[in-house]
Amino acid sequence: MTSPVQLIRPRRFGDARGWFTEVYNRDTFAAMGIETVFVQDNHSLSAPVHTLRGLHFQTPPRGQDKLVRCVRGRIFDVAVDVRRGSPTYGQWVGAELSAENGHQLFVPIGFAHGFLTLEPDCEVSYKCSDTYAPDHDGGIRWDDPALKAVDGEAGGIAWPMPAGVEPELSAKDRVQPLLVDFDSPFAYDGRPLAPLA
């Protein structure tokens, strides 16, 4: 059984001109257990280093699977299990995605998603399985101390920021609820979160 959140490392084919890669191929993804149909592509620019966007999701029936990649700079990308009844509820996994490594993170419905920029002028592109629905927009606090690593202790997400540095946040992300105050509408599908392979 595969973990619901997956780190994907597309192969690059290079020569003297540069390289080519397949970002998404329906058949390849289906072989990995990802049968999502994507209907919207988003692209963001975060100018200041240590910009933090998250932790976000859309609630049912407008939930979104996401396929996230960084096309300029570097980010630390995170997914938090918010599926009611999950044995890994409140646990997170994270990975560095960069323009250089080309890695992608698949974040399914039932997970809060966020990222921290590690360089100035980061651009992030991600595919979604549903269009934006503001009435279903939700989130939890980026710095909730109750969150714990999937293979570690509680104490919050280990965002890679220097001590004493505060991230750049939107007004919305400053006031998201804590996990303890969140009544999850997401159901557990029988697949616990696992460390990223």
Side-chain angles (χ1 to χ4, degrees):
M1 180 184 308
T2 60
S3 178
V5 176
Q6 294 187 49
L7 182 62
I8 298 162
R9 300 173 177 90
R11 186 174 171 197
R12 288 180 172 174
F13 302 89
D15 61 24
R17 301 166 298 167
W19 51 261
F20 168 85
T21 190
E22 271 188 359
V23 173
Y24 170 74
N25 177 301
R26 182 186 61 197
D27 296 339
T28 303
F29 275 62
M32 293 186 290
I34 301 171
E35 304 220 13
T36 299
V37 174
F38 295 108
V39 299
Q40 179 175 314
D41 280 15
N42 298 330
H43 190 138
S44 71
L45 166 67
S46 299
V49 66
H50 302 130
T51 294
L52 197 151
R53 296 179 184 262
L55 299 161
H56 304 149
F57 49 77
Q58 278 191 185
T59 58
R62 301 297 303 274
Q64 292 178 317
D65 292 332
K66 296 176 181 176
L67 180 63
V68 184
R69 65 191 181 114
C70 182
V71 296
R72 180 181 180 193
R74 294 183 303 128
I75 65 170
F76 184 66
D77 204 40
V78 171
V80 179
D81 190 347
V82 292
R83 298 169 298 164
R84 184 182 62 258
S86 169
T88 52
Y89 185 79
Q91 295 182 24
W92 64 272
V93 292
E96 184 174 301
L97 310 181
S98 69
E100 183 177 341
N101 69 25
H103 296 172
Q104 302 179 85
L105 196 66
F106 177 73
V107 182
I109 294 168
F111 288 81
H113 170 254
F115 65 84
L116 174 73
T117 64
L118 304 177
E119 297 178 1
D121 300 319
C122 286
E123 293 186 48
V124 175
S125 175
Y126 56 100
K127 297 181 161 306
C128 298
S129 63
D130 199 352
T131 55
Y132 177 59
D135 292 345
H136 293 271
D137 191 32
I140 57 173
R141 282 283 296 267
W142 67 276
D143 60 347
D144 188 336
L147 304 179
K148 65 179 273 187
V150 73
D151 55 357
E153 299 296 318
I157 295 172
W159 299 105
M161 283 185 294
V165 169
E166 287 292 318
E168 295 283 337
L169 296 165
S170 70
K172 176 178 82 171
D173 289 342
R174 291 183 188 280
V175 296
Q176 297 282 16
L178 295 171
L179 191 64
V180 69
D181 299 319
F182 173 59
D183 184 16
S184 178
F186 299 104
Y188 178 56
D189 64 0
R191 296 182 305 152
L193 182 63
L196 297 173

